[in-house]
Structure formats: C-alpha cells, structure tokens
Amino acid sequence: MAEKIKVAIADDHKIFRSGVINTLTPYDNINVVFEAEDGEHLLKIMEEQQPDVILMDLKMPNMDGIQATIQVKERYPDIKVIILTMYEDDNFIVHLVENGANAYLLKNAEPEEIYEAICTTYEKGFYFSENVNLALLKKVLHKNKQQFKPTFRNNAGNTELQLNDREKEVLQLICNECTTQEISEKIFLSPRTVEGIRQKLLEKTSAKNTVGLVIYAFRNGLIE
C-alpha cells in the first residue's frame, strides 16, 4: 500500500474541522494526523509531529493563518500549506502564495476539490483551481505587468538575469503542473538533472518555492 498523505487542519471552528475530517475519511490515501485551533497551537504540535500538508484557515485567534503560514515555511519549507478560507480577496491570494502557500481554496469548495488540492500539492508542489486561484492570480499580476522590463529580473528586482532554453523549458513544464518525473520523461533528462535545473531557477529568480517560480513566469509573460 502506498504511503498515506499526512494532513493537519488549523481552524478555530471545531465543527468545520470535524466536517473536513468527515469529508476526507473515505479516501484511503489520506490520514488526518492532528487538528489545531490557531497558528500558535499548530506550531506547538509541529514541534513533535510534522504533517505533509496543512489545511490552514486565515482568521484565527492568537496567530492568524498568514503569520502561521510564514512561520511554517520558515521552519519547515517542505511542508505544503493549503489556505482554506472564506476570503476571496486578490491581495490575500498573491501575498500568501508569495510567502509560500501552495494553494488557496474557498471553504465552499467541493469535497473532491479539497482532496484533489491535497494530492496535487503533495505530488507537484502547488495547486491552482481554475475558477478562483489562477484567474485571480493572473488578474492581479497582469495589472502590474507593464512595470517589468523585457529583460528578466529576479524577484528582488535588482539583478538582470538570463534563462537558457533548457531552463525556460523546465519552467514552462513546472507551470503546466508536471512532476519532476514527468519533466524528466518529456525532455529526456534524469530526474536528478531536472531537480538541479529547478534549484538553479529558484536561485536565479530568488523564488522561495515552486509557486514563486509560477509567479515569476506570469510576471515576465512566459505563460498565458
């Protein structure tokens, strides 16, 4: 049997947490390992136990989801964070993905979409729902597109950089939600070489993670 995806839920409403757990119970590859009632509680539990994926609410007492996401990503950069909230706000989406969130879902999402988001972020590093995340992200980033010069710059905005054809190819495939193995098969390179190119892209663009690379591609007009 394949290893189960360990999921944690951080939300101050117990009824909502219970509903999400019930929603995920039928899926054999999901194991909800713990619940937290706010960001501080989440980080305390994570000192002893780390999940693979966190479903994170935004509005919580003591430490909200924004600060909790930043703290999680600083301490545990490989753990995936899915924002699950009622706030459909462009600024929240961009701010959170730029600070490491791997997906952004509304609480009225279908159970199947929550499951898909968990699996996709676990396997590929990010998930953008067609009806919310990608549309809003493109809208916000395209508003500012004119301020970026044709020469590529990293996310710090102060260093001109060049991407070679292979790096652009890998970046495009990452934006197409391809896994390392899938990219390897498509461009006939070893997975280790693909990971090396991905790491080089992170360094060149000053991106924090895969989502940051996608944002970079949007900002520089590499994908539509």
Side-chain angles (χ1 to χ4, degrees), residues 5 7 20 23-31 53 55 82 105 109-123 127:
I5 303 172
V7 176
V20 174
T23 292
L24 297 176
T25 297
Y27 299 104
D28 294 335
N29 63 329
I30 300 292
N31 180 24
V53 178
L55 298 177
I82 298 174
L105 291 178
E110 294 294 331
E112 293 80 7
E113 185 175 22
I114 296 175
Y115 171 71
E116 181 183 358
I118 291 171
C119 295
T120 303
T121 55
Y122 177 73
E123 294 172 0
Y127 172 83

Side-chain angles (χ1 to χ4, degrees), residues 6 16 25 33 48-49 68 74 82 89 99 103 108 124 133 136 168 205 215:
K6 295 179 291 184
F16 180 77
T25 297
V33 291
E48 304 293 334
Q49 183 178 17
E74 287 180 352
I82 298 174
D89 183 275
N99 280 282
N108 62 1
K124 300 182 179 182
N133 300 344
L136 291 178
K168 292 177 184 177
T205 62
I215 292 174

Side-chain angles (χ1 to χ4, degrees), residues 92-178:
F92 275 139
I93 293 173
V94 174
H95 178 70
L96 281 156
V97 296
E98 287 185 332
N99 280 282
N102 303 87
Y104 193 108
L105 291 178
L106 298 179
K107 284 187 173 181
N108 62 1
E110 294 294 331
E112 293 80 7
E113 185 175 22
I114 296 175
Y115 171 71
E116 181 183 358
I118 291 171
C119 295
T120 303
T121 55
Y122 177 73
E123 294 172 0
K124 300 182 179 182
F126 68 97
Y127 172 83
F128 291 149
S129 63
E130 290 185 6
N131 64 336
V132 179
N133 300 344
L134 188 55
L136 291 178
L137 186 59
K138 288 174 68 174
K139 176 182 176 181
V140 174
L141 294 178
H142 285 173
K143 285 180 182 178
N144 299 322
K145 189 174 179 180
Q146 297 302 317
Q147 69 178 299
F148 294 95
K149 296 181 179 180
T151 53
F152 295 149
R153 296 180 179 274
N154 65 16
N155 287 337
N158 56 10
T159 304
E160 185 174 321
L161 62 89
Q162 297 293 328
L163 300 183
N164 61 41
D165 290 341
R166 186 63 87 185
E167 288 168 340
K168 292 177 184 177
E169 187 176 20
V170 170
L171 180 58
Q172 179 66 62
L173 290 170
I174 288 173
C175 293
N176 291 341
E177 301 187 30
C178 293

Side-chain angles (χ1 to χ4, degrees), residues 2 61 70 78 98 158 160 179 181 187:
I70 293 171
D78 293 334
E98 287 185 332
N158 56 10
E160 185 174 321
T179 64
Q181 185 61 43
I187 62 178

